[in-house]
Amino acid sequence: MPLPVRKSLHDAVLQASKADTWEKAAKEWNEVSLIFNGIGRSNCVCGNAIKYAYELFNGVTGQRLFPIGSDCVRHFHRLTLDQQLEEEEKLLRKVENLIRKAQKKENIKVNKSDFDERLLKWFWEKGVFKANRGNQFAPEKDYQLFLEVFQGGSWTKAEPKKKARMEEVLEKCIKPFLLGKSDDDQLYLVKLGKEKIDYEQHLRIQAEKERKKRDKIAKQYADNLILAMGPAERAYQDYFGFTETLTQEERKWEKILFGKNREERAVKAKQNQKELEKDQRIANQDPIERKQKQTWLLNSYFSGLPDEKARFSRLLLEYRKSGEVPFSDDYLSGHLIDFFYKMKAFEFEIAPEQVRDFLKECLQTEHLSSAQESWIRGILSNCLHPFLDRLLI
């Protein structure tokens, strides 16, 4: 005979459910997951003390119920919940093993005795992998690195650089989380944007100082004298993926494309959000009217330019085939770049007209530097890809 449901649990469930009886309300709850923050024991919604807490999700109301203990989850008598709970308890045993090792300061290794893909995914979902300078403020890189090494089957065979990075993540992210010493997620995210902008600003300022110093020294010596880059300039190039020294002309374009100061770079960082908002506005338009308008615009613009219309058709066909925009005379021209500019494809760049000039200038350049190639890829991806995606013709 099943144990009676405690009144506090009964009331909490009904309050978060659409149904007004326990039997009907229990059927609305269809998902259970483990909550863990390393803080230790807490109280279930029923009032009992629990060491590890779970949360339940109501598929009808969208409400979540937490913290709740495993015994209370079993009161729902749902086979799906019981099966999920069993999987979560397997995960819990992995977590408890890692906690014990972290508390005893034992070595934690990325192998099948300490980790599995389910545990790594759970760490990722709980925000354990933090954005920082080591992963260029992209925490998913650390998550993918752990998955890659785990699936490879051996921590010891990992490349030294990858192994060193994982050890750093273990010490700075995973172990503090297991010991309940991780920062508040929301506060961390608020700080992250400013830290990233400040870090980029610091690199730019220091690199520019070293460049000016080097240029001043170079004027005093022979033209063929090769001067070594300073540490800040090397860090700057590593961070942005450049492989060679920027020329004076490239430095000018770098400031135009990425911003001269913190305010301009903050504007640049909001570009993706603006693109999403624009996509949403366009999605609300009638597709037949959009297609008719696009056809009229293209026919009107290219009415006296048959070669340009053919080039644009090749570009659109290649993009839909490969997902890339080739930067060459076969697919792009000065006329086409002007067309994209007039169609406001560059509207979310800091200086749209200068971006247009940059592309036209690079299209006429025989040998592009790695910096120019990197900037071109960014412009094509951020500006032309969304524009071509919106075409219905």
Side-chain angles (χ1 to χ4, degrees):
M1 181 178 178
L3 295 173
V5 179
R6 298 190 65 169
K7 186 178 185 305
S8 51
L9 174 63
H10 178 276
D11 293 345
V13 170
L14 290 187
Q15 186 178 356
S17 303
K18 183 177 181 181
D20 55 3
T21 65
W22 171 266
E23 289 73 18
K24 293 180 180 179
K27 295 178 181 179
E28 297 179 10
W29 300 84
N30 55 12
E31 180 185 331
V32 61
S33 60
L34 173 66
I35 296 176
F36 175 79
N37 54 15
I39 295 175
R41 295 184 178 275
S42 58
N43 289 332
C44 173
V45 292
C46 75
N48 284 340
I50 52 176
K51 183 177 180 182
Y52 294 109
Y54 297 85
E55 69 175 347
L56 283 172
F57 177 74
N58 188 310
V60 177
T61 64
Q63 294 289 321
R64 292 188 178 273
L65 192 64
F66 63 92
I68 187 168
S70 58
D71 290 340
C72 283
V73 174
R74 293 187 173 94
H75 274 305
F76 286 74
H77 300 296
R78 297 285 307 282
L79 180 60
T80 54
L81 288 180
D82 290 344
Q83 290 173 340
Q84 290 177 28
L85 186 61
E86 185 178 347
E87 290 299 315
E88 296 297 324
E89 287 179 340
K90 289 179 182 177
L91 171 64
L92 179 56
R93 286 193 285 273
K94 286 278 187 185
V95 175
E96 287 179 323
N97 178 54
L98 291 180
I99 294 172
R100 179 185 57 79
K101 288 193 171 186
Q103 290 174 339
K104 293 184 177 181
K105 298 183 179 180
E106 297 178 6
N107 288 333
I108 298 176
K109 297 183 178 180
V110 184
N111 54 32
K112 293 186 178 180
S113 64
D114 287 348
F115 287 86
D116 59 22
E117 291 182 55
R118 173 75 176 85
L119 178 58
L120 290 172
K121 183 181 179 182
W122 185 76
F123 278 150
W124 168 250
E125 291 171 346
K126 294 300 179 184
V128 177
F129 298 98
K130 301 295 185 182
N132 51 50
R133 297 178 185 181
N135 54 35
Q136 295 182 332
F137 298 93
E140 62 273 14
K141 290 184 178 180
D142 288 336
Y143 171 52
Q144 293 298 333
L145 175 60
F146 272 76
L147 275 180
E148 174 192 332
V149 173
F150 174 79
Q151 292 168 350
S154 177
W155 159 280
T156 56
K157 293 181 181 178
E159 297 176 14
K161 188 175 182 180
K162 292 181 178 179
K163 188 175 179 181
R165 177 59 192 165
M166 287 190 292
E167 288 175 343
E168 183 179 352
V169 174
L170 278 172
E171 291 298 324
K172 293 185 178 180
C173 299
I174 295 178
K175 287 184 180 179
F177 174 81
L178 294 171
L179 298 173
K181 298 178 181 178
S182 56
D183 294 334
D184 179 78
D185 286 344
Q186 291 302 114
L187 184 61
Y188 185 87
L189 290 174
V190 170
K191 291 180 179 177
L192 175 60
K194 182 178 183 299
E195 182 186 355
K196 184 176 187 294
I197 291 174
D198 286 347
Y199 179 50
E200 292 184 356
Q201 170 75 336
H202 168 73
L203 284 180
R204 292 174 193 274
I205 292 174
Q206 294 301 317
E208 188 63 25
K209 285 181 179 179
E210 291 180 357
R211 290 168 187 164
K212 289 180 179 179
K213 181 179 179 181
R214 185 178 56 182
D215 290 344
K216 183 177 180 180
I217 296 174
K219 291 178 182 178
Q220 302 173 9
Y221 295 90
D223 293 336
N224 61 352
L225 178 65
I226 299 176
L227 297 172
M229 288 187 293
E233 190 168 0
R234 284 197 297 273
Y236 172 83
Q237 295 196 8
D238 288 342
Y239 184 84
F240 290 101
F242 301 155
T243 58
E244 56 194 59
T245 303
L246 297 182
T247 64
Q248 290 288 350
E249 182 69 11
E250 286 172 341
R251 290 175 203 166
K252 180 193 77 173
W253 283 114
E254 190 266 348
K255 290 179 180 178
I256 289 172
L257 295 173
F258 294 97
K260 303 181 186 69
N261 51 48
R262 180 171 158 183
E263 286 73 22
E264 287 188 358
R265 282 190 300 282
V267 170
K268 179 77 174 178
K270 295 178 181 177
Q271 176 181 340
N272 289 338
Q273 182 60 34
K274 289 183 179 180
E275 282 283 358
L276 292 174
E277 292 172 358
K278 184 175 182 179
D279 284 337
Q280 187 61 43
R281 292 196 302 271
I282 292 175
N284 294 330
Q285 298 175 0
D286 181 81
I288 297 177
E289 292 183 4
R290 279 181 57 205
K291 186 174 181 179
Q292 291 174 344
K293 184 177 180 181
Q294 290 173 359
T295 303
W296 179 82
L297 281 172
L298 291 172
N299 289 336
S300 175
Y301 187 86
F302 293 114
S303 60
L305 303 167
D307 291 341
E308 296 302 320
K309 187 173 183 179
R311 183 181 279 109
F312 179 77
S313 299
R314 288 198 301 273
L315 174 65
L316 186 58
L317 183 64
E318 178 63 25
Y319 176 71
R320 289 176 175 170
K321 178 181 174 182
S322 66
E324 298 295 334
V325 175
F327 192 74
S328 69
D329 293 332
D330 293 334
Y331 299 95
L332 285 172
S333 67
H335 280 294
L336 275 189
I337 293 172
D338 284 334
F339 166 72
F340 289 128
Y341 171 72
K342 291 177 181 178
M343 293 296 106
K344 297 185 177 181
F346 309 128
E347 67 175 320
F348 297 133
E349 294 293 329
I350 294 174
E353 67 286 347
Q354 292 175 308
V355 171
R356 174 200 61 192
D357 296 341
F358 172 72
L359 290 179
K360 291 169 74 172
E361 181 179 312
C362 290
L363 198 60
Q364 302 300 319
T365 303
E366 187 173 351
H367 298 292
L368 297 173
S369 69
S370 62
Q372 289 171 314
E373 290 175 349
S374 175
W375 297 335
I376 290 170
R377 284 195 300 271
I379 295 171
L380 297 181
S381 176
N382 295 332
C383 302
L384 297 196
H385 287 195
F387 177 85
L388 297 174
D389 284 335
R390 297 184 186 113
L391 291 179
L392 298 179
I393 60 175

